[in-house]
Amino acid sequence: MLGGVETRSVSPVFVGRADELAVLTDALTRAAGREPQAMLIGGEAGVGKTRLTEEFLCEADRRGAVVAVGGCVEIGAEGLPFAPFSTALRTLHRLLPEELASAAAGQEDELARILPELGETPRGPHDEESTARLFELTARMLERLAAERTVVLVLEDLHWADTSTRHLLSYLFRTLGSGRLVIVATYRADDVHRRHPLRPLLAELDRLRTVRRIELSRFNRAEVRRQLAGILAAQPDEDFVDSVFDRSDGNAFFVEELVASKESGCRTGLTESLRDLLLVRVEVLPDETQGLVRIVAEGGSTVEYPLLRAVAGLTEDELIEALRAAVGANILLATPDGDGYRFRHSLVREAVSDDLLPGERARVNRRYAEAMESDGSLVRAEERVIRLASYWYHANDPARALPAVLAASVAARRRHAYSEQLSLLERAMDLWDSAPEDVREALRPADYTDVYPPCGCDPATTPLQRLDLLAEATVAARYGGERDRALKITKTALRLLEDDRDPLRAAWFWTERSRLIASLGRGDGWEEIAKAQDLVRGLPPSQVHAEVLVRAASWGMLHKPGPGNLAAAERAVEYARMVGAEETELNARITVGSLLTDSGDGPGGLAEMHAVGKRATKLGLTMLAGRAHINLTSQLESMGRSREAVELAEQGAELVRKSRLLDSEAWVCGNMAESLYSLGRWDEAAAAARRTLLVGQSAAPRGSASARLAYLALARGELTEAAHQLAAAHTHFGTHETQPQHRIPLYRLAIGVAAGEGRIADVRTEMSSAAAYGFPLGQHRYAWPLLLAAATAEADARGLPAAEAGRDAALDVLRTAARSLATPVPVWTAHAEYVRAELLRAEARDTPADWTAVEHAVRPLERPYLLARACHRLAEALLAAGDRGPAAGLLREAYATAERIGARRLREDLALLAQRARIPLIDSDTAAVAPVPETDPVEALGLTSRERDVLRLVAAGSTNRKIAEELFISPKTASVHVSNILAKLGVTGRGEAAALAHRLRLFAAPSPVSPRPEAAPPGV
């Protein structure tokens, strides 16, 4: 190996870039204060990105920071997965071995996918969360590593980055929240054309306020003059400065090349051709050195010395002399770790590589591949397979390239680099027809595929088929987040299967297609499942058959609940047992448990899901264990056992969080938020919902979290926030969402927002739409709250002129819907009683007995908000009947609950009712809960006597002109009064003000159609 070789084409003086260097050093200062820094440095090739980075790293080193540099590797179209991160982390592993081991403790197997030095890379698990899980672990490891020291990571040549590297960088830039960490990434701006894969990432990062971007411009003439003075160690001639500045156009690297060409006596150094300029100093080297330079150019960004020695065909002395000449001419440089060589600038490597003849390029790549096959120790083990695939591919040898590319795809999958796996599989499919038949016949699915279940054949003895590659590519694209590409691959596969009758393979592809169409929001996926069912019908049991049945039963459970789903799920369990597919069996049993609970067998369903959760945990199937927790917590909440649901959700969240199953954690936290809301622990519910939004990777859990936040906002009287969260939920779910568990709550929230804003017509429209949509089996848990919201809105709107037309029809819709809903457990019996009482209140026919029945049904349920509302209504009814004693206790109890949980709107309603009844919200034996001044309720709202008159007319539905005529004022004055009223009431519109006035009974309501009876008739 060579030591340092003196060269004089690089200026020892750092020219310009003072402002840019100041920005970078400021990042160091900020990082020292535990504020992670993200920097992007862009500029055209040769403009000085590397020199700026080197100066920054010198300053970082001077300040005691730990520095690690990794470069993206250009070895072909597929790239080397996580190459810059692996290199940088390897440096950190060498510099901080104990600290890094501590930061990675407990997760070495997973993190070995990026840093193989940590241990053996496991074969699985593989799922759509695998990559996100790996990224989360990497981020947490870096945060722990940088907790007590400043760590600087530099990732060079991002324009060559593989897809996995780009995704990991984006994840780190978005999620790093603590630690003394600085991440700097450089890229060649002139390479980032409109369709370059880096371009979307740059656009995404530009939107992050935490990322600072530095764009380097070319030098001006004065800066070029200073650079020349540094290179020449003397003041340059002004004519020479003009000539170099004109030729280089201020590009720092071209300035160096022009000086080097002049000093080496190459008169062609001032050629108009950039390519000739870059090649001219190579062409004056000895022939042996030129040949060696061409070999290095084709080897990749860096070539290890042992590999170069095996490929060059020179004696070691000859090789050393050739390398010395290339390094002395400033063409090649020794790598920082001293184990290989690279070009001083990638532009020169590209020019030399482009100058190779086609046959020459293939021959050099073959020599590299043969050398690596004969000696596996020439390169690092984690790079060997992928580099070998690239060399054989560029050697134009399909017979050797196809197995190598397939082996590389397996290696990429094991590192969770699914995008690179997909690229390699597509390359293999391109090579498929060119490879000799005997080579294809020797390939086996067991060696190269992982996701495709056996379809009546032995994967260890049956030849690999093109369909196997298409299946693998489908799942790789889905795991890599490229669902559109996956959908196109399934279309290609199904087209091939039209001519090749293979129902099991076709059913597998239709099942995958169903999953993709649903996740892309382009349908509900049922049409594809139905085709898969038709294909397997009548066939012997198989894993594919079992998976189709599971998919059909799960789809039916979520989209079209009915008794047929349970039979399909039980048959899936039976088939999976027959073929020994335990993972499929356990998945089917979770569906069976959920369906049993929905059909009324709560104990049986819960027991089945508990059993599956324990077995899945024992087998290490954490995703299935997570699904068991998701469904268990949901069913417990449906049964009114919210406290149990929260306890189990906490256990489930801890379980899936350890394995970084982000979507599973999102679902568990979402279910926890629902149960916490029921228990009146609203701050905790909001935190759980926000956690769901933070970790959720797919749309459905995020949509559910937004809906949960909308529920909270409604209960707190925050209508604007409720409307915002409802809109966010609609955005997450998309336009093709058909699951009742999502659709019905959205109807309920829309009713709540419309009711709060006094839009009774919209309440009825939403209720009619919900009734037309229907309430399938098992969906009573979502339907009863919806009916209660609509019935309450109708009752609150009684006396509102805009509500009179259509009231009877609206109440009929509610009564009809209520009769169709089940009440299998006390919580829904209580809701049915509550809806019945609200419908009577909407007709002014409710009595204290009705509300006493509601209060008695709700009190045992541990539903504080629901109980407080029931106490409010019972107190109101008792006061109307003249029974003040019991009413006072109910008002105080309800007020205390509303105050504790933060139900602002209910608290205000209770305070005004108590004020109107002259009941102090205090207990003689306790401190005051709320003062009750002896004032009129309208005056308590801060309204003047004139504003009282205006509000009365607004509540009656009068326009500004009508108000002006009634009160003998101008329409403009009426408008001013209305604006003042809206501000004082804290509402946003006339309808909301009118609804508030009617809800609080601020003005006498019109006489009911019929007198209030002593007792309400039975039934709803």
Side-chain angles (χ1 to χ4, degrees):
M1 298 294 291
L2 297 179
V5 178
E6 180 96 22
T7 61
R8 287 301 305 274
S9 65
V10 180
S11 172
V13 179
F14 182 59
V15 177
R17 315 302 189 205
D19 292 341
E20 292 85 353
L21 184 59
V23 172
L24 291 168
T25 53
D26 176 64
L28 273 178
T29 303
R30 290 170 178 262
R34 302 184 182 279
E35 183 183 346
Q37 299 295 298
M39 310 294 299
L40 286 171
I41 302 176
E44 67 179 8
V47 80
K49 299 182 294 296
T50 301
R51 184 63 186 276
L52 173 63
T53 304
E54 288 171 350
E55 293 292 326
F56 165 63
L57 293 182
C58 287
E59 176 63 19
D61 185 63
R62 189 186 67 79
R63 296 190 184 192
V66 180
V67 173
V69 181
C72 299
V73 180
E74 187 186 33
I75 61 168
E78 67 282 349
L80 189 63
F82 304 119
F85 284 105
S86 297
T87 303
L89 290 174
R90 190 174 292 115
T91 300
L92 293 176
H93 188 253
R94 186 177 67 252
L95 297 175
L96 304 168
E98 294 181 3
E99 294 86 345
L100 192 140
S102 176
Q107 301 294 344
E108 291 88 350
D109 287 352
E110 278 294 315
L111 289 168
R113 302 182 194 278
I114 291 182
L115 182 59
E117 283 79 356
L118 290 175
E120 186 69 23
T121 304
R123 290 185 60 85
H126 298 286
D127 51 62
E128 290 186 46
E129 297 185 32
S130 297
T131 303
R133 188 161 58 245
L134 177 60
F135 289 0
E136 172 73 6
L137 288 172
T138 304
R140 300 293 79 80
M141 179 184 69
L142 288 172
E143 285 184 343
R144 287 192 288 269
L145 193 63
E148 302 300 330
R149 65 192 62 80
T150 301
V151 175
V152 178
L153 287 186
V154 176
L155 311 176
E156 295 185 309
D157 299 322
L158 204 58
H159 50 280
W160 287 332
D162 58 283
T163 305
S164 295
T165 291
R166 293 195 301 272
H167 289 171
L168 176 53
L169 181 66
S170 172
Y171 185 88
L172 293 176
F173 277 6
R174 285 185 288 108
T175 62
L176 285 173
S178 64
R180 298 165 60 177
L181 183 66
V182 181
I183 300 180
V184 179
T186 71
Y187 65 94
R188 192 191 291 178
D190 49 333
D191 269 14
V192 186
H193 50 76
R194 195 170 71 178
R195 296 190 177 182
H196 194 285
L198 182 61
R199 194 178 184 93
L201 174 61
L202 294 176
E204 175 191 341
L205 297 180
D206 275 343
R207 292 191 291 270
L208 297 178
R209 290 181 295 175
T210 54
V211 178
R212 287 190 282 179
R213 186 168 170 180
I214 298 173
E215 289 286 347
L216 298 186
S217 58
R218 297 176 179 181
F219 284 160
N220 56 35
R221 187 185 183 281
E223 289 168 331
V224 167
R225 189 179 190 284
R226 289 179 59 201
Q227 183 186 8
L228 289 172
I231 294 172
L232 300 172
Q235 290 301 319
D237 180 83
E238 292 301 323
D239 290 338
F240 182 59
V241 173
D242 289 338
S243 175
V244 171
F245 180 66
D246 290 342
R247 298 293 184 179
S248 68
D249 203 17
N251 183 289
F253 176 66
F254 296 159
V255 170
E256 295 171 355
E257 289 298 299
L258 287 165
V259 174
S261 296
K262 177 178 183 295
E263 291 195 329
S264 62
C266 302
R267 295 301 176 189
T268 56
L270 298 181
T271 174
E272 294 292 338
S273 167
L274 171 60
R275 182 169 170 273
D276 289 346
L277 170 63
L278 296 175
L279 289 174
V280 67
R281 290 194 300 113
V282 176
E283 292 170 349
V284 300
L285 294 171
D287 290 344
E288 207 166 65
T289 304
Q290 288 188 48
L292 179 65
V293 168
R294 285 192 284 271
I295 290 173
V296 175
E298 199 60 22
S301 301
T302 299
V303 180
E304 297 80 354
Y305 178 74
L307 177 60
L308 190 57
R309 184 174 57 191
V311 173
L314 301 172
T315 67
E316 188 149 19
D317 287 342
E318 291 171 338
L319 177 61
I320 293 293
E321 284 305 311
L323 284 169
R324 186 174 295 280
V327 172
N330 211 23
I331 302 298
L332 298 182
L333 293 175
T335 56
D337 53 12
D339 66 349
Y341 292 87
R342 63 179 178 85
F343 278 82
R344 189 176 76 82
H345 202 286
S346 57
L347 283 174
V348 180
R349 183 177 71 82
E350 292 165 16
V352 173
S353 181
D354 289 345
D355 199 46
L356 293 174
L357 299 172
E360 185 180 15
R361 175 176 288 106
R363 181 172 61 85
V364 171
N365 276 279
R366 175 177 290 277
R367 287 165 64 180
Y368 272 114
E370 290 173 343
M372 288 177 60
E373 285 194 337
S374 64
D375 185 354
S377 66
L378 294 175
V379 300
R380 288 191 178 90
E382 70 270 16
E383 296 182 11
R384 180 179 179 275
V385 176
I386 291 180
R387 287 177 64 176
L388 190 61
S390 178
Y391 291 142
W392 277 125
Y393 179 78
H394 290 102
N396 296 326
D397 188 340
R400 308 292 289 276
L402 179 59
V405 168
L406 287 171
S409 74
V410 174
R413 180 181 67 223
R414 293 189 68 178
R415 301 186 73 177
H416 291 337
Y418 300 114
S419 295
E420 286 65 43
Q421 180 196 3
L422 176 60
S423 296
L424 288 160
L425 288 167
E426 290 175 334
R427 176 167 286 184
M429 286 185 273
D430 289 340
L431 291 166
W432 188 262
D433 292 333
S434 303
E437 186 174 351
D438 61 320
V439 171
R440 299 199 304 265
E441 289 289 326
L443 300 173
R444 295 290 178 266
D447 297 326
Y448 301 113
T449 61
D450 189 52
V451 302
Y452 204 33
C455 296
C457 61
D458 182 358
T461 59
T462 305
L464 186 73
Q465 298 184 33
R466 187 184 186 90
L467 280 168
D468 295 315
L469 300 185
L470 288 167
E472 203 74 19
T474 298
V475 177
R478 177 161 60 83
Y479 287 174
E482 300 181 63
R483 295 184 176 92
D484 276 311
R485 287 176 73 181
L487 198 61
K488 291 176 183 177
I489 295 168
T490 62
K491 186 176 182 180
T492 301
L494 290 168
R495 192 180 299 119
L496 288 174
L497 284 163
E498 290 175 358
D499 302 324
D500 182 11
R501 175 66 181 167
D502 191 337
L504 287 178
R505 290 180 188 272
W508 186 90
F509 278 106
W510 279 116
T511 304
E512 279 294 307
R513 193 167 175 82
S514 167
R515 190 198 313 269
L516 291 164
I517 284 175
S519 64
L520 286 167
R522 297 178 185 173
D524 59 18
W526 175 248
E527 182 180 349
E528 292 73 24
I529 294 174
K531 290 179 179 178
Q533 285 184 297
D534 290 341
L535 285 163
V536 299
R537 189 171 288 117
L539 296 179
S542 66
Q543 185 174 342
V544 171
H545 200 155
E547 289 182 356
V548 169
L549 290 172
V550 173
R551 180 75 180 160
S554 298
W555 187 96
M557 177 179 70
L558 297 174
H559 294 82
K560 197 174 182 181
N565 297 320
L566 180 58
E570 290 174 334
R571 194 159 69 255
V573 172
E574 179 185 355
Y575 280 23
R577 282 177 180 162
M578 287 181 183
V579 299
E582 187 171 10
E583 188 171 349
T584 302
E585 176 197 338
L586 293 173
N587 193 27
R589 285 175 61 191
I590 294 173
T591 303
V592 168
S594 298
L595 291 168
L596 284 173
T597 307
D598 285 343
S599 64
D601 184 7
L606 294 177
E608 180 75 345
M609 287 186 281
H610 275 296
V612 171
K614 290 179 181 178
R615 179 61 179 167
T617 302
K618 182 178 180 180
L619 295 175
L621 302 173
T622 313
M623 179 164 278
L624 273 179
R627 186 185 174 221
H629 277 84
I630 293 166
N631 286 33
L632 273 167
T633 52
S634 176
Q635 293 296 345
L636 285 169
E637 175 63 24
S638 178
M639 298 168 71
R641 295 160 63 175
S642 301
R643 188 172 294 279
E644 291 178 63
V646 169
E647 293 172 357
L648 191 62
E650 289 171 343
Q651 297 171 19
E654 182 179 0
L655 172 71
V656 296
R657 193 176 293 132
K658 287 179 180 177
S659 297
R660 297 303 191 270
L661 296 175
L662 300 180
D663 257 2
S664 297
E665 183 185 351
W667 278 118
V668 173
C669 288
N671 288 351
M672 190 191 306
E674 183 178 6
S675 296
L676 288 167
Y677 173 85
S678 297
L679 293 170
R681 293 158 60 181
W682 287 2
D683 289 341
E684 294 174 74
R690 285 193 290 269
R691 176 67 182 172
T692 299
L693 288 172
L694 178 66
V695 301
Q697 303 295 297
S698 54
R702 293 171 64 82
S704 295
S706 292
R708 189 53 45 203
L709 290 172
Y711 272 103
L712 282 165
L714 270 181
R716 288 170 166 166
E718 300 165 356
L719 288 180
T720 302
E721 175 66 10
H724 169 72
Q725 293 294 347
L726 175 58
H730 275 293
T731 300
H732 288 309
F733 286 131
T735 57
H736 290 85
E737 178 55 61
T738 61
Q739 294 185 37
Q741 66 172 333
H742 299 150
R743 285 283 294 274
I744 298 173
L746 294 183
Y747 283 126
R748 184 261 177 269
L749 288 169
I751 286 172
V753 172
E757 295 176 350
R759 296 183 283 108
I760 189 64
D762 290 339
V763 169
R764 292 168 180 171
T765 298
E766 293 290 344
M767 183 60 229
S768 296
S769 298
Y773 174 76
F775 307 120
L777 178 68
Q779 303 305 306
H780 51 273
R781 63 178 296 186
Y782 306 113
W784 278 119
L786 178 145
L787 295 188
L788 180 56
T792 301
E794 290 291 348
D796 286 344
R798 177 170 53 86
L800 190 67
E804 293 308 314
R807 177 189 300 279
D808 291 342
L811 297 181
D812 284 344
V813 168
L814 288 167
R815 286 193 168 94
T816 300
R819 291 189 193 101
S820 70
L821 294 181
T823 54
V825 292
V827 66
W828 307 123
T829 303
H831 272 74
E833 195 68 44
Y834 205 145
V835 169
R836 172 181 174 275
E838 286 290 13
L839 290 174
L840 292 171
R841 186 167 72 93
E843 296 174 326
R845 296 192 298 121
D846 58 315
T847 68
D850 298 316
W851 290 110
T852 298
V854 174
E855 188 266 344
H856 286 169
V858 173
R859 187 167 290 280
L861 298 179
E862 202 173 8
R863 291 285 193 277
Y865 180 51
L866 194 66
L867 178 60
R869 291 169 59 195
C871 289
H872 173 213
R873 292 300 171 209
L874 176 56
E876 187 179 49
L878 289 169
L879 288 171
D883 195 351
R884 293 173 55 84
L890 290 166
L891 282 173
R892 290 168 188 149
E893 176 189 353
Y895 189 91
T897 298
E899 181 77 18
R900 175 175 56 83
I901 66 177
R904 181 176 63 85
R905 175 172 165 175
L906 176 60
R907 186 187 66 217
E908 291 172 352
D909 288 356
L910 289 162
L912 285 168
L913 178 60
Q915 189 178 74
R916 194 165 60 241
R918 297 293 187 267
I919 295 176
L921 289 175
I922 59 173
D923 192 316
S924 59
D925 297 325
T926 62
V929 178
V932 183
E934 294 291 326
T935 58
D936 183 274
V938 177
E939 292 179 7
L941 293 171
L943 303 183
T944 65
S945 59
R946 173 61 80 185
E947 288 168 347
R948 172 209 294 270
D949 295 335
V950 173
L951 178 57
R952 176 177 54 79
L953 294 171
V954 168
S958 299
T959 63
N960 285 351
R961 182 173 295 278
K962 181 69 174 174
I963 293 170
E965 292 174 357
E966 184 81 14
L967 300 179
F968 302 102
I969 58 177
S970 70
K972 184 175 181 180
T973 301
S975 175
V976 171
H977 283 308
V978 170
S979 297
N980 291 337
I981 290 169
L982 299 183
K984 290 180 179 181
L985 296 182
V987 296
T988 58
R990 303 167 71 95
E992 194 176 342
L996 178 66
H998 279 273
R999 192 177 82 246
L1000 300 181
R1001 300 290 180 242
L1002 298 180
F1003 307 107
S1007 299
V1009 175
S1010 57
R1012 181 192 291 259
E1014 289 299 319
V1020 173

